[in-house]
Amino acid sequence: MSEVSAFKSGEQKPKALTASGISKVIELHAESAKSWEDAVQLCVAEAVRTVRNISSILVSEFSAAVEDDSVRKFCVRCKVTFAIDDSMRTH
């Protein structure tokens, strides 16, 4: 069974300037019974449900839960970068 265990950490992330405007970074955590790659895919799938203009994902941490001498869960922490939609901003 695969699931996203938590997302959008409470930490404040600095906004970064890009060639096209401002980018924002959110942090997501996911786990999968299959693999780390599957957990990363779950992070992306969760992010695209509510965020547009994703430009990159950085996997910042890998871990695994072990039970009965076997890996049961593959866990990842990912930082997702996306461009802020300038058309929605008020000046």
Side-chain angles (χ1 to χ4, degrees), residues 5 9 12 14 16 26-27 37 54-55 64-65 69-71 78:
S5 58
S9 75
Q12 290 285 335
I26 58 174
E27 187 172 275
E37 183 178 350
I54 295 173
S55 59
D69 300 328
S70 295
V71 173
C78 300

Side-chain angles (χ1 to χ4, degrees), residues 72-89:
R72 298 291 183 210
K73 293 179 187 174
F74 298 88
C75 308
V76 294
R77 179 178 297 191
C78 300
K79 294 181 181 183
V80 178
T81 303
F82 59 96
I84 300 297
D85 185 355
D86 281 338
S87 67
M88 301 297 287
R89 294 177 66 200

Side-chain angles (χ1 to χ4, degrees), residues 16-23 81 83:
L17 293 178
T18 65
S20 62
I22 296 176
S23 291
T81 303

Side-chain angles (χ1 to χ4, degrees), residues 16-35:
L17 293 178
T18 65
S20 62
I22 296 176
S23 291
K24 189 168 185 173
V25 177
I26 58 174
E27 187 172 275
L28 290 85
H29 306 254
E31 58 186 45
S32 168
K34 291 185 205 177
S35 66

